[in-house]
Amino acid sequence: MGGMDLDRTTTALLAALHDSSNAAAWEAFDHRYRPILMGFARSYGLCDDDAAELAQSTIVKFIEQYREGKYDRDRGRLGAWLVTIAKYRLLDMRRKKSPVHIAQGESAIVDLDDDRSVGDAYDAQRRLAILREALQELREKTKTDSKTIRAFELLYYHGMSVQAVAADLGMQPQEVYLAKSRVAMRIREIVARIEREYEETPEDWASSPDRPSAAFGG
Amino acid sequence: MAQSIDTDLPEDGEFAPTGCGRFPRESLELAAIARADCSVEVDERISTHLVICKPCLEAVGQLAQEHTLLTELAQAARPDRATHAGRSEGAGLAAEEIPGYRLSREIHRGGQGAVYLAEQLATRRTCAVKMLLGGRFATPVQRMRFEREVEVVAGLRHPGIVTLYESGLSRDGEPWFAMEFVEGERLDEFVRRVGAGQRAIAELMRRVADTVAYAHRRGVIHRDLKPGNILVDQDGAPRILDFGLARSSTDADATDPRSSSTLAGEFVGTFAYAAPEQLAGDPTLVDSRCDLYALGVLFFELLAGQRPFEGAKSIAELVAQKASGATRRPSAPAAACGRAVDGDLDVIVLRLLAPDPARRYATAAALAEDLARYLDGRPILAREDSLAYVVTKTVRRHWFASGAAAVFLLTVVGASVALAVALANAEREKERVRRAYSTFGAALASANPEEGQGSSSMNVRDFLALVEKEVRSELADEPEVLAEMLKTLGVIQLAFDDPERSRGPILSAHEFFSRAYEAGRIGPSPMAEAELALARQLFLDRDFSGSEDAYRRAIGLRQLAFGPTAVETVDLERQLATVLRRQGRIAEAGALLEEALVHADRFPSTKEAVRVKAGILNGQAVLAAETGEHQDAIESFRIILSELHEVVPGNDFRRGRTLSSLAQSEAALGMLDSAERHAEEAVAILTERKGAGAQWTREATEILAKIRAAKAAAAPR
């Protein structure tokens, strides 16, 4: 759990993307944003295939716009830009696939006119991606012992009681509580670091009163 | 390594952020879960305790944050399952997960679960499927409550209650149940839409009362009756939903947390419809008559178009109004909008809204019967309490407490009786305490995300800010209580290392205490507390000279109150030494600690004395480290740890602080492995006790990072 890897910051990634031959940068970009976009699409009720299509077309569109120099960071976060693209992909797909639903005002799909809810949906997926990365790091790269992680899993994945977890793992209930706290503490550290890596133009972020929705104009 | 990190922030000796021990960790965890989920389920016994117990409050705050994070983490870890809070989530995703049903869309999301419109494939009938929110990641409490709902609804068969078809576990192991789908509208909306008159409303209420009476006979109290939980179906019949908060009266013991899904003291239910005894949080007081109170509020609302206490300017006022029973009649507001309400209905509603359950109808069946009498044109059985009844009963209740007040009471007439009791009662102290608690109760209620300013992201500190706002507005005319509460709130915020939020309350409290002390209304001991709070505030504000002055005043006051060599006094000298050290006055700080140690050697052997002595030694060790004498410092830190071991729990923040200092000195001498181990432990303890954002935690984390960096640099490649 060292300090943050400067090459992994979004700012660094974007800078590297200027070099169209930098395959590693594109891969890193894709690796970071595709799962977020997939989750975003699924959260709007799309099946896996459609979600994958949406993520793919959004990334392709972004690359296009980025190369044309259309992406202006002053106008908002990268996430907001991606969401704007994704939102119109989503509308396109819905128009093609389920005209009946729209005509009937079926509300199984979130109202896309609400920019804030769209932005929130994206942010939620971004948070999920960060948490997943943190969990992977906790398992693979930290010294947290497997019993500690197992205690957390039994408690939070399987809804077992502290007593049951203690009995299962041959621990005292107090140790189970401690294990849980330890996982929380480690995750908090890792998440804080990854958040910093994901952070985009913090100065814009701080000065913009209206968060990403400023970029959702069109 | 630079020695700029302060590991010896002074603290109030009494303010040890360990749970005080009154509640086991399990209870604190449950309170934390209730907080974190920000549902209405707050264990009132603990909540009340938290107002006065800072250690427990801190523990619960920490645990709540932890729970939120871990729940989120568990949800994130779930493969291929979108979890954003969008309205669509369950619709598409849950569809394949319940064998035998096709789910089409979410139709309702409440505190307990989400309800989907569904088709039972075998019968092709439309039904509603309810799934536990949070699914298999739901907390044990939520799960227990959901299972209880299944049990309760399954046991009830009445045309006024939705029928349960079946229940089970989804492919994902999540509990669900399918019930009759009622196509209807909320009772209040129905009444408004059809423009129901008083007789029609009375008939609807009679049917509701009849249904509630049935549930009561089966031993089930609903506890959350409100317009949203009563639908009028297409035949015009009211149907009661959502027994999610119900409690069965067959539960062995309401005060045993394991015996009831609505845990002891937990306040569940929607605030506006809750009976005063529900708000009081004592589960032994809550019985079927709380449902009658809710029906009273509902009945009033349907007749008058507004709630009985709508004139209340704040929630605290609402609580006080409910408790005092100063209810207007529904006919008054109804008349203002040109609607008629018969005197009999006024009487029935007021009887239901009596703050004392004993003065309501004895049963829902009696209410149904009286409504039937009204509809038939027969005289109703409910009677307003006569003046003689009120005075006799009040005098009897208060005679022994205050003979003079009771005599005075005999001259008082009408509805002002109850109020006069409160004002003339010699036990004014009790009233002040009651107000402080009711204000806190109001703040608690306003943290309810469905009603007040609460949200799922509200943390303990936000909540405290809410309490501060509430007490400032509600206790303005009780300056002593207000100052005491502000001081407590400020000190709690300080313990969270949140000087921005502690500043306001601490300065206000200090100002009040100063005036009271000058006027001779309070003694040196409470004044010393106020000075100490100010000193700590200024320290965190980095106004070291102001902090020093406040410490010196506090020391003078404690010398007056406890004597110059008392533990309480010496403890402040130790803390003052830290302030001096931070100003670079090393020699003065050293001399002060020497002197403190001389006194400490003569302390009685209490735990507190041992803690203070350990603090003095810690101060000396930090000074030693600061002057480069790391070997001495390390030895001292080890002695301190072994002494602390005797008197504080293993995760006490003082241990964390000392471990952090020890790690730093060890690192300075190149003992990197041991330094890393100690720093890790320090970070774990401080994060748990103080929170990740607290100053000490950040510093310990920084120390750990530096040690690791040093280790990495030293490692052979």
Side-chain angles (χ1 to χ4, degrees):
Chain A
M1 272 180 286
M4 91 171 133
D5 181 350
L6 289 176
D7 292 341
R8 284 170 47 92
T9 63
T10 298
T11 306
L13 266 184
L14 284 169
L17 288 184
H18 278 302
D19 175 6
S20 57
S21 66
N22 188 341
W26 282 113
E27 216 168 276
F29 181 85
D30 189 81
H31 181 73
R32 177 173 299 176
Y33 291 101
R34 187 179 294 272
I36 300 179
L37 289 164
M38 288 275 290
F40 170 80
R42 278 202 212 99
S43 76
Y44 281 95
L46 265 58
C47 66
D48 284 356
D49 286 351
D50 290 348
E53 191 187 323
L54 182 133
Q56 173 67 14
S57 60
T58 301
I59 288 173
V60 166
K61 188 79 186 166
F62 175 81
I63 293 171
E64 234 175 79
Q65 296 186 347
Y66 189 77
R67 285 191 174 148
E68 290 165 11
K70 282 186 187 165
Y71 170 53
D72 176 6
R73 296 194 72 181
D74 290 341
R75 282 187 55 198
R77 294 189 309 155
L78 170 63
W81 190 268
L82 286 173
V83 166
T84 309
I85 300 174
K87 177 180 152 183
Y88 289 108
R89 300 284 103 187
L90 192 55
L91 282 172
D92 279 350
M93 289 169 80
R94 286 178 59 195
R95 262 193 290 273
K96 280 177 203 153
K97 289 213 161 198
S98 42
V100 184
H101 277 188
I102 288 173
Q104 290 179 344
E106 177 68 49
S107 65
I109 292 180
V110 172
D111 182 1
L112 284 173
D113 293 337
D114 180 356
D115 284 342
R116 186 167 288 279
S117 85
V118 176
D120 287 348
Y122 177 86
D123 285 346
Q125 293 305 321
R126 175 179 178 276
R127 172 80 178 162
L128 278 179
I130 289 174
L131 286 170
R132 286 187 184 129
E133 198 173 325
L135 192 58
Q136 193 180 354
E137 186 169 327
L138 177 81
R139 290 185 207 280
E140 294 169 5
K141 295 185 186 163
T142 69
K143 285 196 249 168
T144 313
D145 73 68
S146 56
K147 212 168 172 180
T148 297
I149 296 177
R150 187 69 190 143
F152 152 72
E153 288 175 344
L154 291 178
L155 279 175
Y156 279 85
Y157 290 17
H158 301 284
M160 281 167 65
S161 70
V162 167
Q163 283 68 24
V165 174
D168 205 54
L169 298 178
M171 297 165 92
Q172 292 300 315
Q174 283 304 325
E175 292 173 312
V176 175
Y177 285 127
L178 197 66
K180 173 188 78 109
S181 295
R182 191 167 288 144
V183 168
M185 188 262 290
R186 294 257 152 86
I187 285 292
R188 213 175 275 138
E189 286 168 4
I190 301 171
V191 164
R193 202 208 63 239
I194 301 176
E195 282 279 5
R196 288 198 298 275
E197 286 171 4
Y198 272 47
E199 200 45 76
E200 304 147 22
T201 56
E203 58 282 1
D204 293 348
W205 179 251
S207 64
S208 159
D210 197 18
R211 300 223 302 166
S213 46
F216 295 143
Chain B
M1 189 173 292
Q3 262 296 336
S4 62
I5 295 173
D6 182 77
T7 52
D8 192 27
L9 191 69
E11 88 286 343
D12 186 338
E14 293 167 14
F15 191 76
T18 50
C20 72
R22 182 172 159 201
F23 293 96
R25 167 113 185 212
E26 185 187 0
S27 298
L28 295 179
E29 292 271 356
L30 281 174
I33 289 170
R35 284 265 161 101
D37 293 345
C38 218
S39 53
V40 288
E41 45 186 69
V42 176
D43 186 327
E44 195 90 356
R45 278 184 320 163
I46 292 186
S47 294
T48 309
H49 175 68
L50 293 181
V51 184
I52 50 172
C53 182
K54 295 161 268 190
C56 286
L57 180 69
E58 200 178 53
V60 167
Q62 181 64 45
L63 293 172
Q65 281 179 12
E66 224 176 79
H67 175 74
T68 305
L69 178 67
L70 294 177
T71 304
E72 210 188 355
L73 188 66
Q75 282 170 351
R78 233 174 151 185
D80 299 328
R81 171 93 191 228
T83 49
H84 104 77
R87 283 165 277 165
S88 70
E89 183 208 330
L93 292 158
E96 302 133 25
E97 293 178 4
I98 297 187
Y101 288 85
R102 183 185 298 121
L103 272 57
S104 57
R105 66 184 165 91
E106 186 176 311
I107 49 180
H108 175 72
R109 186 168 282 245
Q112 313 275 335
V115 181
Y116 301 98
L117 183 67
E119 183 188 0
Q120 192 176 31
L121 297 174
T123 60
R124 306 295 310 259
R125 69 180 162 185
T126 302
C127 58
V129 168
K130 185 164 183 173
M131 293 180 77
L132 179 58
L133 277 182
R136 62 193 165 131
F137 303 120
T139 62
V141 177
Q142 291 168 324
R143 196 170 273 273
M144 201 157 66
R145 192 167 275 161
F146 192 84
E147 283 161 7
R148 162 46 52 93
E149 183 177 359
V150 174
E151 210 176 283
V152 165
V153 180
L156 299 174
R157 284 273 182 275
H158 188 277
I161 297 174
V162 291
T163 311
L164 183 124
Y165 294 150
E166 63 175 326
S167 65
L169 293 176
S170 72
R171 297 212 170 98
D172 244 2
E174 297 176 6
W176 58 270
F177 64 85
M179 58 189 163
E180 181 188 2
F181 175 63
V182 178
E183 221 166 334
E185 72 186 304
R186 282 165 56 117
L187 179 58
D188 53 344
E189 283 166 7
F190 172 80
V191 164
R192 224 179 358 255
R193 184 176 60 77
V194 303
Q198 56 176 333
R199 286 188 63 82
I201 293 171
E203 170 58 18
L204 283 166
M205 287 303 296
R206 189 195 64 74
R207 295 173 79 164
V208 170
D210 193 54
T211 307
V212 171
Y214 164 82
H216 286 179
R217 280 196 298 276
R218 307 289 301 234
V220 176
I221 310 168
H222 190 289
R223 308 215 306 166
D224 194 25
L225 290 168
K226 56 185 178 185
N229 279 341
I230 302 173
L231 294 185
V232 179
D233 69 17
Q234 289 178 323
D235 299 328
R239 314 283 300 269
I240 300 178
L241 310 170
D242 214 347
F243 275 84
L245 300 179
R247 188 177 88 200
S248 164
S249 59
T250 56
D251 285 336
D253 175 5
T255 59
D256 176 0
R258 283 167 197 84
S259 72
S260 165
S261 67
T262 45
L263 295 165
E266 202 172 350
F267 170 60
V268 289
T270 306
F271 192 78
Y273 299 88
E277 67 270 21
Q278 280 177 292
L279 299 173
D282 180 350
T284 59
L285 295 178
V286 177
D287 59 24
S288 59
R289 290 171 296 183
C290 73
D291 281 348
L292 292 175
Y293 189 93
L295 290 180
V297 179
L298 180 60
F299 200 2
F300 188 112
E301 193 174 1
L302 297 179
L303 289 169
Q306 49 184 267
R307 288 181 194 158
F309 302 107
E310 219 143 69
K313 288 186 203 68
S314 68
I315 295 161
E317 202 175 312
L318 181 58
V319 174
Q321 279 186 10
K322 283 195 173 194
S324 75
T327 317
R328 51 192 178 143
R329 293 151 189 273
S331 55
C337 8
R339 268 179 289 182
V341 173
D342 289 345
D344 276 355
L345 295 183
D346 269 348
V347 171
I348 290 172
V349 169
L350 291 188
R351 173 50 67 90
L352 290 169
L353 291 175
D356 178 359
R359 285 163 61 184
R360 293 174 209 147
Y361 285 96
T363 61
L367 167 65
E369 165 63 18
D370 231 9
L371 285 167
R373 294 175 73 91
Y374 164 78
L375 290 164
D376 292 346
R378 289 178 286 154
I380 59 164
L381 298 175
R383 282 287 172 267
E384 279 183 283
D385 293 333
S386 68
L387 178 62
Y389 171 85
V390 172
V391 172
T392 312
K393 190 152 186 191
T394 314
V395 168
R396 193 181 305 139
R397 195 181 303 152
H398 292 279
W399 183 263
F400 297 105
S402 169
V407 172
F408 171 68
L409 270 177
L410 291 171
T411 67
V412 180
V413 290
S416 62
V417 167
L419 190 63
V421 174
L423 295 177
N425 199 324
E427 291 183 307
R428 184 161 165 73
E429 206 54 34
K430 261 189 190 169
E431 168 64 8
R432 289 175 42 188
V433 171
R434 190 193 65 74
R435 275 201 66 185
Y437 276 109
S438 94
T439 303
F440 175 71
L444 259 186
S446 60
N448 176 347
E450 291 180 1
E451 299 290 333
Q453 303 162 44
S455 76
S456 61
S457 62
M458 177 177 276
N459 59 31
V460 174
R461 280 175 277 177
D462 292 337
F463 173 72
L464 291 175
L466 209 61
V467 175
E468 191 195 332
K469 210 171 132 205
E470 199 69 36
V471 299
R472 277 187 189 275
S473 79
E474 293 308 317
L475 296 175
D477 57 345
E478 285 279 10
E480 287 164 73
V481 185
L482 174 62
E484 191 59 41
M485 288 199 79
L486 286 176
K487 195 196 78 191
T488 305
L489 287 167
V491 170
I492 296 169
Q493 297 280 23
L494 265 185
F496 277 114
D497 281 5
D498 199 342
E500 293 308 316
R501 283 189 167 164
S502 55
R503 191 177 300 117
I506 283 180
L507 292 182
S508 301
H510 183 266
E511 199 188 333
F512 172 84
F513 277 92
S514 300
R515 278 203 306 272
Y517 184 63
E518 276 164 26
R521 290 202 307 276
I522 59 168
S525 178
M527 187 61 225
E529 298 306 308
E531 291 289 2
L532 175 57
L534 178 68
R536 296 182 60 203
Q537 172 69 41
L538 295 172
F539 184 92
L540 282 184
D541 285 340
R542 306 200 157 260
D543 175 359
F544 297 125
S545 119
S547 176
E548 182 189 344
D549 291 345
Y551 266 118
R552 290 196 188 278
R553 288 195 298 273
I555 290 169
L557 289 160
R558 281 204 173 168
Q559 282 175 346
L560 273 179
F562 303 105
T565 58
V567 178
E568 291 85 348
T569 312
V570 174
D571 187 30
L572 295 193
E573 289 171 346
R574 169 188 77 77
Q575 298 184 29
L576 174 61
T578 303
V579 181
L580 296 174
R581 178 169 64 74
R582 292 300 295 265
Q583 296 178 84
R585 289 149 68 184
I586 304 293
E588 273 179 79
L592 194 58
L593 288 171
E594 276 298 338
E595 195 188 316
L597 196 59
V598 172
H599 296 310
D601 282 332
R602 299 196 195 111
F603 281 164
S605 55
T606 62
K607 281 188 175 185
E608 182 56 24
V610 175
R611 280 197 287 263
V612 170
K613 192 174 169 189
I616 296 169
L617 293 173
N618 193 62
Q620 289 186 322
V622 170
L623 276 183
E626 199 143 312
T627 47
E629 294 163 30
H630 290 293
Q631 198 55 53
D632 286 354
I634 288 171
E635 275 174 35
S636 296
F637 288 133
R638 287 188 178 147
I639 293 169
I640 294 160
L641 286 171
S642 74
E643 294 222 351
L644 280 177
H645 181 68
E646 302 297 320
V647 292
V648 300
N651 62 349
D652 186 89
F653 77 101
R654 295 180 192 82
R655 279 199 76 236
R657 207 176 61 186
T658 305
L659 282 165
S660 177
S661 302
L662 173 61
Q664 205 171 13
S665 280
E666 285 174 332
L669 296 185
M671 301 151 68
L672 293 178
D673 285 339
S674 155
E676 183 180 29
R677 209 169 52 244
H678 289 133
E680 273 176 354
E681 199 183 341
V683 170
I685 291 172
L686 291 171
T687 307
E688 185 191 342
R689 310 299 315 183
K690 284 278 177 181
Q695 189 183 336
W696 290 334
T697 316
R698 292 200 310 269
E699 288 167 350
T701 309
E702 202 175 303
I703 291 171
L704 178 59
K706 284 179 180 166
I707 292 167
R708 285 182 175 156
K711 274 188 83 171
R717 286 180 184 271

